[in-house]
Amino acid sequence: MPHCYFVIDYRQSHMDSLASAVSRADYGLPEDKVVFSCSNQLYKYDPQIFATWCNILRRVPDSVLWLLRFPPSGEPRIRREAAKLGVPSERIIFSNVAEKDVHIPRSGLADVFLDLSLIHISEPTRLGMISYAVFC
């Protein structure tokens, strides 16, 4: 397609996945807190972005940060860095990598999707979530 930046197929919004409702409890997410989320690979988080997210968490006391455990070896490092920045590790929740038909619907459990810097912007993930919300 000429003059097009990014093409997305709305049929990939997985309309059939609405039949299997997901809940926050399925992923260890609190019902009574604001859930901030970013589902990019951990290596894409730079120190400034992560510090900004931790600042948000400190300013919104009843909130958690929901991240993708990818790779699993990064989880303890993220928790240590959050603690250094004044965010208790129990406010960081990790979920395993999942197939797209599971990942996109569960992403809707978050209240706010936090994106990355322009270098590691998450266009496919974000557009997948938007198309899921719009077309389902």
Side-chain angles (χ1 to χ4, degrees):
M1 296 180 66
H3 313 292
C4 184
Y5 169 67
F6 192 88
V7 177
I8 187 163
D9 181 357
Y10 74 91
R11 293 170 294 185
Q12 291 189 29
S13 62
H14 295 279
M15 296 169 89
D16 58 328
S17 64
L18 284 177
S20 60
V22 293
S23 72
R24 285 186 169 190
D26 294 336
Y27 296 96
L29 300 171
E31 296 288 341
D32 60 344
K33 297 194 183 311
V34 175
V35 176
F36 295 102
S37 174
C38 185
S39 54
N40 284 278
Q41 296 181 49
L42 299 177
Y43 81 88
K44 294 181 179 181
Y45 304 170
D46 65 51
Q48 183 179 5
I49 289 289
F50 192 71
T52 300
W53 295 351
C54 287
N55 187 35
I56 292 168
L57 288 171
R58 285 192 312 274
R59 290 173 179 242
V60 183
D62 289 330
S63 65
V64 297
L65 178 59
W66 184 25
L67 303 175
L68 189 61
R69 186 179 287 120
F70 188 38
S73 61
E75 182 176 345
R77 292 178 181 161
I78 292 288
R79 291 187 186 282
R80 275 193 309 271
E81 190 61 27
K84 286 182 196 174
L85 295 169
V87 176
S89 68
E90 61 269 11
R91 292 185 61 197
I92 311 290
I93 299 170
F94 285 89
S95 288
N96 291 323
V97 175
E99 294 293 325
K100 187 175 183 179
D101 62 336
V102 172
H103 175 66
I104 297 296
R106 78 176 178 184
S107 297
L109 298 172
D111 296 300
V112 179
F113 182 79
L114 300 174
D115 212 343
L116 302 168
S117 66
L118 291 176
I119 296 170
H120 292 297
I121 199 161
S122 52
E123 287 292 331
T125 301
R126 187 169 5 114
L127 288 174
M129 287 182 225
I130 289 170
S131 70
Y132 178 79
V134 170
F135 295 112
C136 293

